[in-house]
Amino acid sequence: MLRLRFLWLILALVVVSALFLTLEAKGSWSFTLWFRGQKLASLLLIGAAVSIATILFQTITHNRILTPSIMGFDALFLLILTLMIFGMGAGAYAQVPKVTLFLINLILLTLASVALFTLLLRDQRSDLMRMVLTGIILGVLFRSLVLFIQRLIDPSEFAVLQSASFARFNKADPDLLLVSAVLVCLAGGAIWRMRHRLDVLALGEVLPVSLGADPRRGQLTVLMLISVLVSVSTALVGPVAFLGLLVSSLTYRVIPSWHHGHILPAAILIGGITLVGGQLVLERILHFETPLAVVVECLGGLVFLILILRKGST
Amino acid sequence: MPRLWLLICLCLILLLSVLSIFVGVIDLSPMALLRDPEALQLLAVSRLPRTAAAVLTGCSMAVSGQIMQILVRNKFVEPISAGTGQAAALGILLSVLLFPAAGLAVKMSLAAVTALLGTLGFLALVQRLPPTEPLLVPLVGLVYGGILGAVMVFIAYQVDLIQYIDVWMLGEFSGVMRGRYELLWLAGIAAFVSYLIADQFAILGLGRDMSLSLGLNHRQVMAMGLLCVSVVSALTVVTVGMLPFVGLIIPNLISRQLGDNLRVTLPVTALLGGVFVLGCDILARVVRHPYEVPVGTIFGVLGTLAFLWLIYARPRNA
């Protein structure tokens, strides 16, 4: 049963990817394949990073509504980026190699988010809704701070930053692509080895104790891995608030299993199908001007609203 | 006590207004006003309208926030971030699309209609929420507003109007001039009218059953409130753009300090809103002189901080 569903998912991903590479190709094949191959790789990477991060976050917070982006992770990434440009000046900023910058940013984000979210998660037991609201409000605060600091930066330097703060699935940087691929693979490997531990973490606060396991052990590691994955996706495409939620709710629907050994691969596949398929439909079939990010925002927001309303009425 | 607050707010508004007249890119000194006709021109075309616009926006937004909180019966909502503002902006976008040649009045009316529909949609959503979870309401409001905003961005991309959107999404007063802000007086009038029926709003806040048994025409007062909120939101979004959180912080602050007797507190709420918006606008002009920071970003920062304070410092019995 599960195996059949996995086969279908893999088949779907292969089909959309093949269509994405070949549909409406004009001019030389080698160029088209190389050009589109890069796009495809970045879409798959982002899909994997966002879906894994979301599933992990939902596991350690024991609910299926929260995602790292809803709690303001990627806004925090942008804030750190902005503060760095503001502190160094865009001239100095442009001279540092991109990869170095990305790694510095990654370390800062990991530190900041671990500090912030251990604080927030402590509150969770008393009031889940308050924590969600706090996360959303913090996201708005970070984004406002970004806008505010952007205006303090010289208008000429402003352009450097502006290009970094919009979600765009089409223009991932090839330099960053390689680093990101390595990082996602490393994080993914670490998570795969933790998959049984994650099954225990998902049980909640009380049950693991009676099984003789400390529910907090591993939480910190998972939080750090989430930060890495969020940095990768935000650095590649910018903020995407509701993509993770869309993917994770689809995953729980398609794969009715509690094992992370099943959920995580399925989430990666579904993330890829959503992004590649969405891009395919939007760009090649409907010929829409609108970026995929906007459509995903809209759909994901609706899913969030439905989940929240259902949660509230039970 | 409320009288003292009223007096202090009045003094502050006067003080800030004088300050606002003399702060800006072009130096303007009190002496120049007496001698230089050009200075007078500057005063009449730019500085006075700008000051008036900030005060009017602040007053009417604070009042409409208060009314929205009564309509929804929840202290943590305000129109601009709970869908009404986004719906109004959607209306402007539609009017630009459908009637590109039409004037400000048409834009404004369409925006008011969509704002009304957006608010009704929010109220319908809120009715399905359990009364035991007060924080669910602002949460749903923020997401609902976000979805409406995404729909607007989607349409704007399709018709290549994406640059327009920024103007409405991020409020600022730097574009305010004589001849381009006068609609805001209507918002001020709407706020004043709601003061005249403040008692009925106070009763409305007790809930449907209670207000019906006290002899209130529940439906009519509800409609008045909706109308006021929609008109004020549409007017401010059309003229200066979205200014989030004003309608949230000010009424909550006043309600914690002075209680909920609207006839007494509504004027203080309105004036404090004016003080707050005008003060922030002056700050926006000063902080990066000679450039300006959009005042919407300052609200974003201050407003979210205040919101966090509100939900963490809320009284146990609230």
Side-chain angles (χ1 to χ4, degrees), chain A residues 123 127 129-130 134 136-137 140-141 144 147-148 151-152 154 288-291 294 298 301-302 304 308-309 312, chain B residues 125 129-130 133 135-136 139-140 142-143 147 150-151 154 157-158 288 293-294 297 300-301 304 307 311-312 314:
Chain A
D123 187 43
D127 197 340
M129 285 307 157
R130 182 160 77 172
T134 310
I136 291 190
I137 300 281
V140 179
L141 172 65
S144 307
L147 281 175
F148 182 70
R151 297 302 176 116
L152 295 183
D154 257 19
F288 272 11
E289 297 287 321
T290 313
V294 178
C298 216
L302 278 177
F304 184 73
I308 276 272
L309 285 174
Chain B
L125 277 178
L129 298 176
E133 289 273 15
L135 291 183
L136 209 52
L139 191 62
V140 167
L142 283 168
V143 178
I147 295 175
V151 170
F154 179 82
Y157 258 112
Q158 289 302 322
R288 175 118 178 85
V293 177
T297 61
V301 175
T304 42
F307 200 164
I311 56 177
Y312 279 91
R314 71 183 152 140

Side-chain angles (χ1 to χ4, degrees), chain B residues 49-270:
Chain B
R50 185 170 184 165
T51 308
V55 173
L56 281 171
T57 313
C59 293
S60 52
M61 297 269 290
V63 170
S64 76
Q66 174 75 69
I67 293 174
M68 180 93 166
Q69 287 164 20
I70 291 170
L71 294 179
V72 184
R73 298 196 67 206
N74 185 299
K75 288 249 178 230
F76 301 111
V77 291
E78 58 107 11
I80 294 300
S81 52
T84 311
Q86 285 81 357
L90 199 58
I92 308 174
L93 182 64
L94 287 181
S95 74
V96 171
L97 271 182
L98 301 177
F99 319 103
L104 207 55
V106 175
K107 258 193 210 171
M108 151 62 214
S109 325
L110 201 55
V113 171
T114 49
L116 189 66
L117 292 177
T119 321
L120 281 174
F122 179 58
L123 284 180
L125 277 178
V126 167
Q127 305 240 299
R128 300 163 139 251
L129 298 176
T132 45
E133 289 273 15
L135 291 183
L136 209 52
V137 177
L139 191 62
V140 167
L142 283 168
V143 178
Y144 176 69
I147 295 175
L148 287 182
V151 170
M152 177 173 69
V153 173
F154 179 82
I155 297 176
Y157 258 112
Q158 289 302 322
V159 295
D160 212 5
L161 279 175
I162 197 78
Q163 292 92 334
Y164 273 86
I165 289 211
D166 278 349
V167 180
W168 310 318
M169 294 297 256
L170 203 59
E172 61 177 327
F173 292 101
S174 59
V176 171
M177 283 200 310
R178 188 171 60 190
R180 289 178 58 182
Y181 84 104
E182 279 75 2
L183 274 176
L184 282 176
W185 288 101
L186 274 179
I189 292 171
F192 184 71
V193 170
S194 49
Y195 168 65
L196 293 180
I197 52 170
D199 284 343
Q200 303 190 21
F201 279 126
I203 295 175
L204 191 70
L206 298 173
R208 185 168 177 277
D209 295 345
M210 186 62 126
S211 52
L212 278 179
S213 71
L214 284 172
L216 187 77
N217 189 341
H218 183 267
R219 202 166 248 258
Q220 191 187 348
V221 181
M222 196 89 178
M224 291 283 284
L226 271 173
L227 197 67
C228 170
V229 168
S230 316
V231 166
V232 167
S233 307
L235 282 166
T236 44
V237 175
V238 167
T239 40
V240 294
M242 290 192 201
L243 298 173
F245 299 113
V246 186
L248 179 83
I249 310 166
I250 307 293
N252 270 291
L253 195 72
I254 295 297
S255 149
R256 279 182 194 208
Q257 294 299 326
L258 301 177
D260 287 327
N261 183 357
L262 285 185
R263 194 172 10 166
V264 177
T265 58
L266 210 55
V268 189
T269 307

Side-chain angles (χ1 to χ4, degrees), chain A residues 215-264:
Chain A
R216 267 161 304 187
R217 199 167 73 90
Q219 241 181 24
L220 193 68
T221 325
V222 174
L223 213 50
M224 277 158 62
L225 289 170
I226 292 173
S227 306
V228 172
L229 292 170
V230 171
S231 315
V232 168
S233 80
T234 316
L236 279 179
V237 292
V240 274
F242 289 115
L243 172 66
L245 189 75
L246 197 63
V247 173
S248 71
S249 0
L250 277 175
T251 308
Y252 299 132
R253 272 284 152 86
V254 176
I255 304 290
S257 160
W258 286 98
H259 292 289
H260 283 77
H262 299 146
I263 298 177
L264 285 171

Side-chain angles (χ1 to χ4, degrees), chain A residues 66-139:
Chain A
L66 293 181
T67 75
S69 339
I70 292 177
M71 300 299 294
F73 264 69
D74 43 11
L76 188 61
F77 179 89
L78 287 181
L79 180 60
I80 293 173
L81 187 75
T82 314
L83 283 174
M84 264 165 66
I85 299 182
F86 185 59
M88 292 161 59
Y93 177 84
Q95 278 168 6
V96 185
K98 251 183 213 148
V99 177
T100 322
L101 272 179
F102 174 65
L103 291 178
I104 298 175
N105 209 337
L106 177 75
I107 294 167
L108 288 179
L109 177 75
T110 311
L111 290 177
S113 58
V114 167
L116 188 61
F117 291 98
T118 37
L119 210 70
L120 265 183
L121 293 179
R122 205 191 298 155
D123 187 43
Q124 181 207 5
R125 253 145 290 161
S126 58
D127 197 340
L128 176 69
M129 285 307 157
R130 182 160 77 172
M131 187 183 72
V132 182
L133 192 61
T134 310
I136 291 190
I137 300 281
L138 279 178

